[in-house]
Amino acid sequence: MHIVRMLIVGLIVGILARFFYPGAVHMGLILSAVLGIAGSLLAGFVGNMFQPAVARQPFHPAGFLYSILGAIVVIFIARHFFHLV
């Protein structure tokens, strides 16, 4: 069940990141889910560098927003450094 939840949240985060990123980002639903998951991992890694997690929370609105920002950074890196997307 955890994997299904991760895929659904990743898809939502990926679609929102594609919406907020300036310019067209052409990718399907599967790549959008992968983008959202990668953005969440990046945001979690950076967040843990600045403030380590004390307690596990199932959902936090700030984490959701940071995941979207992380996905936007992943789009930027993929476009400008690897000429993908």
Side-chain angles (χ1 to χ4, degrees):
M1 194 65 181
H2 177 70
I3 294 173
V4 173
R5 186 178 342 151
M6 181 178 63
L7 289 172
I8 291 171
V9 171
L11 179 64
I12 294 169
V13 167
I15 289 173
L16 288 173
R18 287 177 44 208
F19 177 75
F20 290 123
Y21 191 81
V25 180
H26 301 289
M27 61 177 59
L29 291 178
I30 294 173
L31 282 178
S32 294
V34 171
L35 170 69
I37 293 168
S40 295
L41 290 173
L42 177 67
F45 178 72
V46 172
N48 280 333
M49 284 182 11
F50 291 112
Q51 182 178 5
V54 176
R56 294 275 184 203
Q57 294 180 343
F59 179 77
H60 196 276
F64 189 73
L65 293 176
Y66 286 139
S67 295
I68 294 171
L69 288 175
I72 290 172
V73 169
V74 170
I75 293 173
F76 178 81
I77 290 170
R79 274 204 169 166
H80 289 79
F81 295 111
F82 299 109
H83 303 292
L84 301 172
V85 184

